[in-house]
């Protein structure tokens, strides 16, 4: 299996522009997670899906952020409009899902490094 | 609420010496504990996990971790460190049905192994 695939790997954009990050989870995985990593705040869970349904979006910073999972093999994280403080590395991860009420092991993609000027 | 603490921002070890990266946790109920490693400019990689059973868990690259319920700790260990072990290490915890079963990550510990 190719693992979790993220695109683009790097994105440089100007403040106010729309940014769309993409993720393809591992085939057969039922849960998908979006994380953000910065030096100041470490690794933060933004949102996660189970069977394509958003379960917990309490980590989404504000209305400028939105995430969708139209099918089991694709998810997007959109920032509109983008701001310099959104600069971070965004990771997507997937897992087999819940087993006994606890998430199975998560497998991470390589990340998208976003720089908003 | 669940929480994880990694008390050391950085751990420095000489190659060949044993290493320990510390992790303590707080959950309601039985914990499910994980260690991940992140190499520069890469995503997190799964190392090992404790679900139940033997308190000593063996994982990838010669790493192991010991679950200690009374001390609520899950320290990562390796008998002989390699320079290639230098990376950022994350401890994570989940508890059954708490917060949707999601993982809570610690802040990470930077491990530096010198030749």
């Amino acid at each position: 299996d190719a693992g979790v695939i993220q695109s683009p790997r790097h994105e440089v954009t100007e403040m106010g522009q729309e940014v769309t990050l993409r993720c393809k989870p591992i085939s057969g995985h039922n849960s998908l997670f979006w994380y953000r990593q910065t030096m100041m705040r470490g690794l933060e869970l933004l949102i996660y899906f189970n069977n394509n349904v958003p379960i917990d979006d309490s980590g989404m910073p504000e209305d400028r952020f939105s995430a969708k999972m139209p099918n089991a093999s694709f998810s997007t994280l959109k920032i509109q409009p983008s701001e310099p403080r959104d600069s971070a590395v965004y990771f997507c991860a997937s897992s087999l899902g819940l087993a006994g009420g606890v998430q199975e092991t998560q497998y991470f993609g390589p990340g998208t490094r976003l720089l908003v000027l | 609420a669940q929480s994880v603490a990694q008390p050391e921002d950085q751990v420095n070890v000489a190659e060949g010496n044993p290493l320990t990266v510390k992790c303590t946790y707080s959950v309601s109920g039985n914990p499910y504990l994980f260690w991940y490693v992140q190499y520069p400019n890469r995503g997190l990689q799964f190392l090992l996990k404790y679900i139940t059973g033997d308190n000593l868990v063996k994982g990838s690259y010669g790493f192991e971790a010991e679950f200690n319920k009374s001390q609520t700790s899950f320290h990562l260990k390796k008998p002989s460190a390699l320079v290639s072990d230098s990376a950022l290490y994350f401890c994570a915890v989940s508890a059954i049905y708490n917060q949707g079963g999601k993982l809570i990550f610690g802040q990470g510990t930077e491990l530096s192994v010198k030749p």
Side-chain angles (χ1 to χ4, degrees), chain A residues 52-71:
Chain A
N52 311 339
V53 176
I55 302 299
D56 185 346
D57 65 355
S58 60
M60 295 287 262
E62 48 198 273
D63 291 346
R64 296 185 298 107
F65 285 68
S66 62
K68 294 182 179 179
M69 192 165 186
N71 57 62

Side-chain angles (χ1 to χ4, degrees), chain B residues 1 6 9 11 15 19-20 29 33 41 43 55 58 61 63 66 68-70 79-80 83 85 87-88 90 96 107:
Chain B
Q6 294 182 241
D9 290 336
V11 170
E15 187 174 32
L19 70 86
T20 299
L33 295 154
N41 300 314
N55 289 345
K58 294 189 183 298
Y61 312 122
F63 283 94
E66 186 168 13
N68 187 317
K69 188 173 184 177
S70 63
S80 179
V83 172
D85 293 330
L88 186 59
F90 290 94
I96 188 169
Q107 282 296 100

Side-chain angles (χ1 to χ4, degrees), chain B residues 55-97:
Chain B
N55 289 345
L56 185 64
V57 180
K58 294 189 183 298
S60 307
Y61 312 122
F63 283 94
E64 58 188 27
E66 186 168 13
F67 171 62
N68 187 317
K69 188 173 184 177
S70 63
Q71 296 186 2
T72 62
S73 67
F74 189 57
H75 300 333
L76 182 70
K77 300 181 180 184
K78 187 173 183 179
S80 179
L82 300 172
V83 172
S84 57
D85 293 330
S86 299
L88 186 59
Y89 289 80
F90 290 94
C91 181
V93 68
S94 181
I96 188 169
Y97 294 119

